[in-house]
Amino acid sequence: MQSAFYAPRHFQPPRQPDKAHFDSQLPFSRNLKTHLKFPTFTNSLRAPLHFEPGEEEREVRKDSSPPGGPNSLVRLPVVVTRSSEVSRYVWDGTCLRLVSFGGVGGGGRAAAPFCLDDLGGGARRAARVCGAAVRDFFLPKQVSSNYVKYVKWKFLHRVFSSALQVLATQAMFRAIGIGYSRSLPSAAALNWVLKDGLGRLSRCIYTASLASAFDTNLKRVRFSTSVLFSLSVGLELLTPTFPQYFLLLASIANIAKQISLACYLATGSAVHRSFAIADNLGEVSAKAQIQSVCFDNVGLALAALLNMLFKNNQRLLAALLFAVYPIFTAIDLLGIYQGLKHVHLQTLTKGRLEIILNNWIDFGCVPLPAEVSNEEGIDIFNVKGKRVWPVRIGCLGTKVKIPELSMMTMRSISSKDYYFICLESYSRLNQSEKQNILVCLREGAATSDIIAGLLQACYVRKTLLKNRTFWDRSLDSYASDAISKEWFRVTEDSRERAKKDLPMVSEQISAAGWAVKNVLLSTEEQLRYSFVDD
């Protein structure tokens, strides 16, 4: 039960009535101990704080108002919020009551009193109670506004994914019965255990190799592994068609499933944290488990229904699975994709920080997590990393061509610098050589140094894009004194601007709701250099 205080905007304390008025309104005041009743309470549900008097209050007012005293009902400044309605304590002159007011949405119909002689009001109240109980069962109390949309798409994903898993498992059992009808049951059990062992081993290897990607590229990794999971279900559906290759198909499918499961478990806490606005991560995680169990049971019922409809014709059922598989898979992946679009992560990564800083440079403000999430998207094919003059965090590689300007930049750094900006060349398949803007971080660099370095790199890129033709031609040739002076002028100007804007940028990032304590970097982005003063 939560309580809230409600009072008018201009509150005036009630005047003290004289003795005659007091006696006329409250005749029992002369013998208070004999007339005052013990307070009685009535149940209610939650509603908005801005409400109109409901039927229950009007009934209380009508029953309790003596002749000539229609305003004897006293509203107390205590409102009780519970479930889906709001009730308020009132004093009717004889007892203390908890009166329920309008329903959810503000200005709606007033809550009818729950009594035996009013079946219509009782039915409405029972419906509100049941609806509130269902919401409380499935949804946490304090989450962000986009959580309900996420759960709707999750329902679609879990139902059809669960149905596909049931049908795939049934197909594998049928494949074992066909392929090993003349062999010992222990041989089939050995193959089953072997495929599970290979899958778990692959899961460990995958988790160890992509540990940092679960934070920096959460949506992309999660969706790509979901596609992998759907393909694994397709392989399991093929096992009855090729029973002699059961172990091979089942092992490959289980490896893909274990990889997808590892990603789901690794990213689940970050997804739940993005919705928990009151540090109620445990509650959000618990409700997520309840949702998964209930939604999976609906998918199980859907698969059972298909089996019941075609139980007399197994061949038709086997053929139907291949027709159902692409439809169910498409709906499953659609639910995952749309659900991830409603996940607004507040942690800072290099990609999100770059979007924030570019928006600051162009518009002078820091976007909210929801706005960055919409611009970031899932980016399955990493299209956003193929822009002109991309910014990278890390160290200069030895397998690429290092421009002469980078060497001159490294010679100019001092012991006071915790990062420096330089250029590096890179080439893709069937593409000409291009240039990167590289931010090299020093050991001991703080979060403010990372933000300052990336902000300076964004300023440098904006300057280079204004005169792109000149810089493309100059960097491909020998670095003359004029080009070197121009490069150092650009880097020095951008450093001064970044240093000037850093306090304001940091303040706005924190005010926008971002977690500014750390910047999550991938394994390559975590490489640092050490300064040696020879």
Side-chain angles (χ1 to χ4, degrees):
M1 180 184 296
Q2 298 176 345
S3 62
F5 292 95
Y6 175 83
R9 180 173 298 179
H10 302 288
F11 178 79
Q12 296 181 357
R15 63 183 182 86
Q16 296 294 334
D18 54 13
K19 183 176 182 299
H21 177 77
F22 186 80
D23 292 343
S24 63
Q25 296 296 326
L26 297 177
F28 59 90
S29 61
R30 298 181 182 273
N31 193 2
L32 187 61
K33 294 184 178 179
T34 59
H35 290 83
L36 185 60
K37 296 182 179 180
F38 191 82
T40 59
F41 303 91
T42 57
N43 294 330
S44 66
L45 296 175
R46 181 185 305 173
L49 292 179
H50 301 283
F51 46 76
E52 297 295 332
E55 294 180 11
E56 185 171 344
E57 183 186 359
R58 289 194 292 269
E59 291 295 329
V60 172
R61 186 187 297 275
K62 181 175 65 176
D63 295 341
S64 61
S65 297
N71 297 323
S72 62
L73 185 64
V74 179
R75 294 185 183 184
L76 301 180
V78 177
V79 176
V80 178
T81 305
R82 187 170 52 189
S83 196
S84 63
E85 289 187 2
V86 152
S87 299
R88 183 172 180 174
Y89 287 103
V90 297
W91 174 259
D92 63 358
T94 58
C95 65
L96 184 67
R97 294 194 182 187
L98 190 59
V99 181
S100 62
F101 292 85
V104 178
R109 291 184 300 176
F114 186 74
C115 55
L116 295 177
D117 58 348
D118 189 357
L119 298 179
R124 290 193 298 270
R125 188 180 185 89
R128 287 196 298 269
V129 171
C130 294
V134 171
R135 285 194 298 272
D136 291 342
F137 182 77
F138 280 102
L139 303 178
K141 293 187 180 299
Q142 293 181 312
V143 289
S144 56
S145 58
N146 54 315
Y147 182 74
V148 176
K149 296 180 181 179
Y150 167 78
V151 172
K152 291 179 180 178
W153 289 109
K154 179 183 178 180
F155 170 79
L156 202 65
H157 149 57
R158 297 293 302 195
V159 167
F160 288 93
S161 177
S162 176
L164 280 176
Q165 291 183 65
V166 173
L167 297 176
T169 303
Q170 181 182 356
M172 293 175 68
F173 284 146
R174 190 165 59 250
I176 291 179
I178 296 174
Y180 297 95
S181 58
R182 297 183 181 180
S183 62
L184 295 175
S186 60
L190 178 62
N191 284 313
W192 197 278
V193 172
L194 183 60
K195 77 172 185 65
D196 283 349
L198 291 175
R200 293 175 182 177
L201 178 62
S202 301
R203 173 181 171 182
C204 294
I205 297 174
Y206 170 78
T207 305
S209 59
L210 291 180
S212 62
F214 296 135
D215 291 318
T216 56
N217 298 305
L218 185 148
K219 295 184 179 181
R220 185 194 311 166
V221 172
R222 185 156 185 172
F223 185 79
S224 60
T225 54
S226 299
V227 174
L228 194 63
F229 180 86
S230 299
L231 295 177
S232 69
V233 174
L235 286 178
E236 290 179 345
L237 292 175
L238 287 175
T239 52
T241 307
F242 305 99
Q244 65 275 20
Y245 299 112
F246 170 81
L247 180 59
L248 177 62
L249 295 176
S251 298
I252 296 175
N254 197 60
I255 289 173
K257 274 190 171 183
Q258 292 293 330
I259 290 175
S260 179
L261 178 61
C263 176
Y264 179 81
L265 295 177
T267 58
S269 60
V271 172
H272 298 157
R273 190 182 296 110
S274 68
F275 296 115
I277 61 176
D279 292 334
N280 54 335
L281 180 59
E283 181 189 13
V284 175
S285 301
K287 297 296 184 180
Q289 296 182 37
I290 296 174
Q291 295 163 8
S292 298
V293 171
C294 295
F295 298 164
D296 289 349
N297 285 337
V298 176
L300 178 61
L302 178 61
L305 179 61
L306 291 176
N307 279 280
M308 291 174 60
L309 293 176
F310 300 95
K311 62 180 179 180
N312 296 326
N313 193 334
Q314 292 297 321
R315 291 187 178 180
L316 183 59
L317 177 61
L320 180 67
L321 294 180
F322 292 100
V324 168
Y325 169 73
I327 299 175
F328 280 21
T329 299
I331 299 176
D332 175 27
L333 294 178
L334 176 64
I336 297 172
Y337 184 86
Q338 294 293 337
L340 288 175
K341 290 174 65 175
H342 294 287
V343 177
H344 307 322
L345 301 171
Q346 294 89 26
T347 53
L348 290 176
T349 63
K350 181 263 175 185
R352 295 180 202 128
L353 187 56
E354 188 175 353
I355 294 175
I356 292 172
L357 298 179
N358 284 330
N359 195 88
W360 164 265
I361 293 174
D362 294 336
F363 306 105
C365 62
V366 170
L368 300 174
E371 298 171 341
V372 174
S373 178
N374 294 332
E375 183 175 351
E376 180 186 28
I378 298 179
D379 196 17
I380 305 173
F381 303 105
N382 195 22
V383 178
K384 298 183 182 300
K386 300 178 181 179
R387 64 183 66 185
V388 180
W389 291 100
V391 177
R392 188 176 75 87
I393 298 179
C395 289
L396 283 167
T398 57
K399 296 182 180 180
V400 296
K401 179 183 177 182
I402 301 177
E404 186 178 356
L405 288 177
S406 300
M407 180 272 298
M408 302 173 68
T409 301
M410 284 189 284
R411 292 185 62 181
S412 64
I413 62 175
S414 65
S415 59
K416 297 181 180 179
D417 298 325
Y418 278 89
Y419 72 89
F420 66 89
I421 307 293
C422 65
L423 300 174
E424 69 172 356
S425 301
Y426 74 98
S427 60
R428 301 181 186 272
L429 294 176
N430 301 324
Q431 291 184 0
S432 59
E433 192 176 76
K434 296 184 178 180
Q435 301 286 340
N436 264 344
I437 299 176
L438 182 64
V439 181
C440 295
L441 299 174
R442 179 180 165 184
E443 289 286 350
T447 301
S448 58
D449 298 318
I450 299 176
I451 297 176
L454 199 56
L455 179 59
Q456 181 183 349
C458 291
Y459 275 126
V460 169
R461 178 172 60 191
K462 185 176 182 179
T463 303
L464 297 183
L465 289 176
K466 289 181 178 179
N467 198 359
R468 180 180 174 184
T469 304
F470 167 78
W471 285 106
D472 286 341
R473 184 176 63 255
S474 301
L475 295 175
D476 289 338
S477 59
Y478 176 76
S480 61
D481 292 339
I483 296 175
S484 300
K485 291 181 179 179
E486 183 64 20
W487 166 254
F488 281 106
R489 186 191 65 79
V490 170
T491 55
E492 187 61 29
D493 290 346
S494 61
R495 177 185 289 271
E496 292 299 324
R497 295 181 66 182
K499 184 179 180 181
K500 178 182 177 181
D501 294 346
L502 181 60
M504 181 65 70
V505 172
S506 300
E507 181 181 351
Q508 288 199 19
I509 290 176
S510 179
W514 294 97
V516 296
K517 185 177 181 180
N518 293 302
V519 178
L520 302 177
L521 301 176
S522 64
T523 303
E524 294 183 356
E525 293 170 347
Q526 293 175 8
L527 294 177
R528 300 287 191 269
Y529 75 89
S530 298
F531 180 78
V532 180
D533 189 7
D534 293 334

